[in-house]
Amino acid sequence: MATSNSPSKRTLCSGGVLVGKVRVPGDKSISHRALLFGAISEGLTKVEGILPAEDPISTANCLRAMGVVISPIRNGEVVEIEGLGLDGLKEPDDVLDCGNSGTTMRLLMGLLVGRKDRHFVLSGDSSLRNRPMRRVGRPLKLMGGEITGKADGDFAPLAINGQNLRGAVIGTPVASAQIKSALLLAALTAEGTTTVIEPAHSRDHSERMLRAFGANLEVGGEIGRHIIVRPGAILKGQKVIVPGDISSAAFWLIAAALLPGSELTIENIGLNPTRTGVLEILNQMDANIEVINEFEVAGEPVGDIRVKSSELKPFIINAEIIPRLIDEVPILTVAACFCDGTSKITGASELRIKETDRLAVMTRQLKAMGADIEENPDGLIIHGKKQLHGASLNSETDHRVAMSLAIAALLAKGDSLLEGSEAAAVSYPDFWKDLDRLHK
Ligand code: S3P
């Protein structure tokens, strides 16, 4: 009922209800890490529940180009990675294509910079070639890394001349799991200990999984923001079970919380506390959500969430919580449009350097539906409860924008047309199918 079936341009029907059960696809961050860490381990890594979407497939293809044997990444199939050991990656014959995936490019920078006497070129689509990379290249340089690129190393294509690295103590200027993870990967083969200190906690999947693979990694410091890696440990292939992605679940959580008469159960969601900011905000909004069946899978907390529609209050999001909901700001912006009062987002300038400038794109697209949003350099002020109307919308190539606008269209009055809907495949290939199934 919700959508027409053209691959890119979709008609989105407004109204109706969302009911039933949905199991969101595997966590994107954990899927990338399982592939990368499996590739540099000894023996076989088996990954269950991996996200069969464009971004992890980019990571797998880059690793294959360096000699790693990885079985096909297909829905519902266990993926096997034949690890080459810490120093086994081969020099590729061609450019490594990271597609649209910032995580692929940034984590590979850390993984490859210490491969002595090997040369690598990393590139990607036009969105990725416009995203800043010096934030990773600069701290890697402190460890002896050599990465060059356009605009003084800030933009891909990037060239990496593998070097022997030395450990260092590095404070990262922003709480970014991508920067942190790149440094931790470089530290595995550096000479001497590396300590990475973050200004705030970013998602900690790398720390959890590297330790499970056997890395000598310790999380310490007074407030747990010092991550210490001692090189020399051999990583061993593991079985990894990937929980569902809370960033994909967020679309259903917010849609069902707002669309009158809706009731959904979203199963198997990863509930790592560094990722659950969206639940904190939904609680702040008085949403009717309940976590049921909590359990732990391969070192990560997981649970099901039941959500029922209700009146929601506006929210305040500030810098402190941003790292825990960084990818959910677009859909939270949609939520703010439909609750009574003014919501404020500050400390969110990182949103401007995601797959698109998400503050600008969400403002532009939601304004086309009649939303009242003020855009600031580091956030948004959203005056809610103005009736939004159906409109001609565009994802501007951004997967999370595409899915956020789909939910906005459900909640608006009158049908909408969405161009660039195929972008959802970057992180949630079955999003449109799930929407059709749940929307009654
Ligand atoms: C990711 C970290 C986040 C997030 C991205 C995935 C990761 O980026 O926005 O979608 O897997 O490490 P930053 O760490 O750069 O904020």
Side-chain angles (χ1 to χ4, degrees), residues 28-29 33 103 106 175-178 203 326-327 354 400:
K28 183 156 78 67
S29 295
R33 285 157 175 80
T103 310
R106 295 195 176 113
S176 156
Q178 295 181 349
R203 63 192 66 189
I326 183 87
D327 293 336
K354 293 294 175 188
R400 299 207 197 278

Side-chain angles (χ1 to χ4, degrees), residues 31-336:
S31 298
H32 284 298
R33 285 157 175 80
L35 291 163
L36 293 163
F37 303 172
I40 55 165
S41 296
E42 296 195 346
L44 198 65
T45 287
K46 291 186 180 193
V47 193
E48 203 180 299
I50 199 165
L51 170 66
E54 288 170 11
D55 268 13
I57 288 172
S58 294
T59 293
N61 286 341
C62 289
L63 291 167
R64 287 182 181 123
M66 293 183 283
V68 186
V69 174
I70 303 175
S71 65
I73 299 184
R74 286 193 287 244
N75 218 349
E77 286 181 26
V78 172
V79 171
E80 295 193 347
I81 304 148
E82 293 176 29
L84 295 178
L86 264 183
D87 199 36
L89 293 174
K90 299 187 178 58
E91 189 174 61
D93 293 333
D94 206 342
V95 173
L96 296 171
D97 182 2
C98 305
N100 188 246
S101 175
T103 310
T104 305
M105 185 170 281
R106 295 195 176 113
L107 269 57
L108 278 178
M109 289 168 77
L111 190 71
L112 301 179
V113 70
R115 312 286 145 186
K116 180 74 178 149
D117 295 331
R118 276 157 278 177
H119 178 253
F120 309 88
V121 179
L122 301 178
S123 196
D125 70 8
S126 66
S127 152
L128 188 56
R129 279 183 274 113
N130 283 294
R131 295 180 66 186
M133 296 296 151
R134 206 189 296 131
R135 48 178 40 214
V136 182
R138 193 190 285 137
L140 287 172
K141 202 170 168 186
L142 297 174
M143 300 175 74
E146 243 187 67
I147 303 182
T148 55
K150 283 163 62 187
D152 198 18
D154 212 11
F155 299 109
L158 302 174
I160 302 177
N161 271 319
Q163 302 294 327
N164 286 329
L165 303 180
R166 51 186 181 272
V169 177
I170 299 171
T172 59
V174 280
S176 156
Q178 295 181 349
I179 302 177
K180 171 178 69 180
S181 303
L183 295 170
L184 299 179
L185 284 170
L188 293 174
T189 55
E191 202 182 303
T193 301
T194 296
T195 304
V196 181
I197 307 161
E198 292 196 278
H201 286 288
S202 65
R203 63 192 66 189
D204 67 355
H205 306 299
S206 293
E207 293 90 309
R208 289 173 190 248
M209 205 190 291
L210 278 173
R211 248 199 321 242
F213 273 79
N216 187 341
L217 181 149
E218 211 180 289
V219 179
E222 260 172 48
I223 34 182
R225 277 200 256 109
H226 290 209
I227 304 133
I228 301 147
V229 176
R230 295 186 178 83
I234 289 170
L235 306 192
K236 292 262 165 62
Q238 298 294 315
K239 179 169 183 190
V240 180
I241 301 175
V242 183
D245 199 324
I246 190 167
S247 299
S248 298
F251 301 109
W252 305 127
L253 287 171
I254 286 171
L258 282 159
L259 192 63
S262 298
E263 182 170 351
L264 284 182
T265 303
I266 304 139
E267 297 173 329
N268 188 42
I269 308 178
L271 296 174
N272 179 313
T274 60
R275 298 285 301 280
T276 48
V278 65
L279 301 183
E280 294 173 48
I281 296 302
L282 280 167
N283 280 327
Q284 197 191 113
M285 298 172 86
D286 274 350
N288 191 344
I289 55 169
E290 193 189 352
V291 179
I292 46 178
N293 304 331
E294 269 189 272
F295 49 101
E296 204 174 289
V297 169
E300 294 274 350
V302 181
D304 300 340
I305 299 185
R306 192 184 296 135
V307 53
K308 285 187 197 167
S309 63
S310 61
E311 276 293 307
L312 296 192
K313 294 202 304 220
F315 59 71
I316 304 280
I317 289 178
N318 54 32
E320 187 277 324
I321 199 172
I322 288 285
R324 298 199 295 288
L325 49 69
I326 183 87
D327 293 336
E328 287 67 77
V329 172
I331 186 62
L332 283 164
T333 305
V334 171

Side-chain angles (χ1 to χ4, degrees), residues 311-364:
E311 276 293 307
L312 296 192
K313 294 202 304 220
F315 59 71
I316 304 280
I317 289 178
N318 54 32
E320 187 277 324
I321 199 172
I322 288 285
R324 298 199 295 288
L325 49 69
I326 183 87
D327 293 336
E328 287 67 77
V329 172
I331 186 62
L332 283 164
T333 305
V334 171
C337 290
F338 294 93
C339 44
D340 202 359
T342 297
S343 295
K344 284 193 185 137
I345 302 173
T346 54
S349 53
E350 281 289 301
L351 268 288
R352 296 204 180 275
I353 52 168
K354 293 294 175 188
E355 284 81 335
T356 58
D357 175 343
R358 286 181 172 161
L359 298 181
V361 174
M362 287 308 295
T363 303
R364 186 158 52 236

